Amino acid sequence: MDIAPSALPSTSTPAQDAKNRRKGATAAALASAVEWYDYFVFGIAAALVLGDLYFPAGSSSAGVLASFATFAVGFLARPFGGIIAGHLGDKRGRKPMLVLALTLMGVATTGIGLLPTYETIGIAAPVLLVTLRVMQGIAVGAQWGGAMLLATEYAPEGKRGIYGSFVQLGVPIGVVTANSVFLLAGAFTSESAFAAWGWRLPFLVGLLVLVLAWYIHKHVEETPEFRAAERALAEKEKAEKGQAAEQGEQGEQGEQGADKGKVGGGARNSPLRTILRGHLGTVFLAGGSFAVNTATFYILITGVLDYTTRELDMNRGAVLTVSLCVSLTQLVLIPASAALSDRIGRIRIYGLGAAGIALWAVPMFLLIDTGSLLWLAVGTFVASCFLSIMYGPQAALFAELFTPEMRYTGASLGYQIAAVLGGGLAPFVMVLLLETTGTSMSVAAYIIGLAVIALGSIKVLADRARSR
């Protein structure tokens, strides 16, 4: 980490600390909500209109596959955002990387809303769409770690779980808002008008992200844990340089003194290098534990939307309404599970959610296949409960896997690996499995397979925690 003015001892009062804590947690929650809103509107549009407008093909399923492939590209870009922002966030601070991520997301999302279709500019349309989706992926890859640490590193003792859940709430808030805006756009436009320009309106809301980025830049302070880590590093470097200078003055072991001076600089080693050399296993365990959650989530909000409207002939507006109502329940369940994890442990709650997802995968698709809105709501609601049980404590769990000087990098990489292996490919895999096998049970088997990997990863993390 680089030494900045924030490395100076804090002179703030308890009242100021409380105010900064509230401001930091609120900013983190809002940043997460608007960032995920921007990210999710693409998934909804991919399921509804982007295939026909940007990837004209011989069949509707081929266009949807191409559209979902573009959706997946954003996930492939997310680790790069996590790596870049993680490295700089561990060296420069959490806040500047969060501001940069929000700015990039706002520009990319607005660009998609203004992008001409294939009919207007030909092959340039899908190329530009993929480029803007990559920008979205980099932005959300950079955002999660910054927002998560802004919340958890401001948390009072014993409340890291509930503070981390403020950031996790951004996901259901983003889903609810994205679905609501699409429902409004569909309600006030005809089918032809929605396909022509109505779908663009949710993307243009992305301009509001830039306003939030400016507010965080101006009014939110860096986290106390990062500032404390800066101070500790400054003191360590000062002591090492003083020792090296003293050895140089005595004329003894000059080369060793020079080497020790280099060691002082070594304290600033790249956080990414530190992760790759000594903590890569933890990163992959984190990713493996969470892939089932992100895969099931995107199957519910995008894959099921396509499946029910295209294969089961269910009404688009009704399915979106069900998705919206189910997401609203997460606003209660996520903080509740996070608060419980502060009392009885993260791993226990986290593992319960993963086991529930595995057990519910087959019943959920049996209910969806009835074509009934009621059973669709029941099936997705129960699945959403298990997702919330996992998602609530996840931010605090990932933060606690790594020390402050490499936490942004490590936590972000674990999360984004899960996003690539689970969420990014899930809607694409779902369509492919349905086209190949003709049965939704193949999708259920896919979810169960990821759940088994998750439970294995969670067990290893639990064993490590007990050994410590």
Side-chain angles (χ1 to χ4, degrees), residues 36-74:
W36 286 115
Y37 164 83
D38 282 7
Y39 201 66
F40 291 146
V41 293
F42 191 99
I44 296 173
L48 297 179
V49 295
L50 295 185
D52 293 334
L53 296 175
Y54 291 92
F55 304 96
S59 69
S60 60
S61 59
V64 171
L65 278 171
S67 182
F68 279 159
T70 305
F71 180 70
V73 165

Side-chain angles (χ1 to χ4, degrees), residues 73-238:
V73 165
F75 286 83
L76 296 176
R78 281 171 61 169
F80 294 100
I83 290 170
I84 296 168
H87 175 80
L88 295 176
D90 282 328
K91 290 172 71 69
R92 304 282 183 181
R94 301 7 178 160
K95 188 183 82 169
M97 292 304 102
L98 181 57
V99 171
L100 181 62
L102 289 169
T103 303
L104 183 61
M105 179 62 84
V107 170
T109 304
T110 304
I112 293 172
L114 299 174
L115 185 65
T117 64
Y118 186 92
E119 184 179 1
T120 304
I121 60 174
I123 193 63
V127 170
L128 289 172
L129 183 66
V130 170
T131 301
L132 292 169
R133 180 59 177 170
V134 168
M135 289 174 61
Q136 279 194 321
I138 292 173
V140 83
Q143 170 270 337
W144 182 81
M148 179 270 289
L149 293 181
L150 195 63
T152 59
E153 291 187 349
Y154 262 116
E157 185 70 25
K159 293 187 177 181
R160 180 171 276 169
I162 189 65
Y163 269 66
S165 73
F166 296 157
V167 174
Q168 308 298 73
L169 285 175
V171 172
I173 291 173
V175 172
V176 168
T177 309
N179 279 327
S180 299
V181 174
F182 264 101
L183 282 170
L184 288 173
F188 288 99
T189 59
S190 63
E191 286 288 335
S192 59
F194 181 83
W197 56 267
W199 67 270
R200 298 181 182 275
L201 299 178
F203 287 92
L204 298 180
V205 177
L207 287 169
L208 297 177
V209 180
L210 302 177
V211 177
L212 181 60
W214 173 85
Y215 174 83
I216 293 175
H217 173 69
K218 285 290 188 180
H219 299 287
V220 178
E221 294 188 6
E222 189 53 79
T223 70
E225 283 196 40
F226 179 78
R227 286 178 282 162
E230 282 185 312
R231 291 194 294 270
L233 180 56
E235 292 168 2
K236 180 179 179 181
E237 289 188 333
K238 183 178 179 180

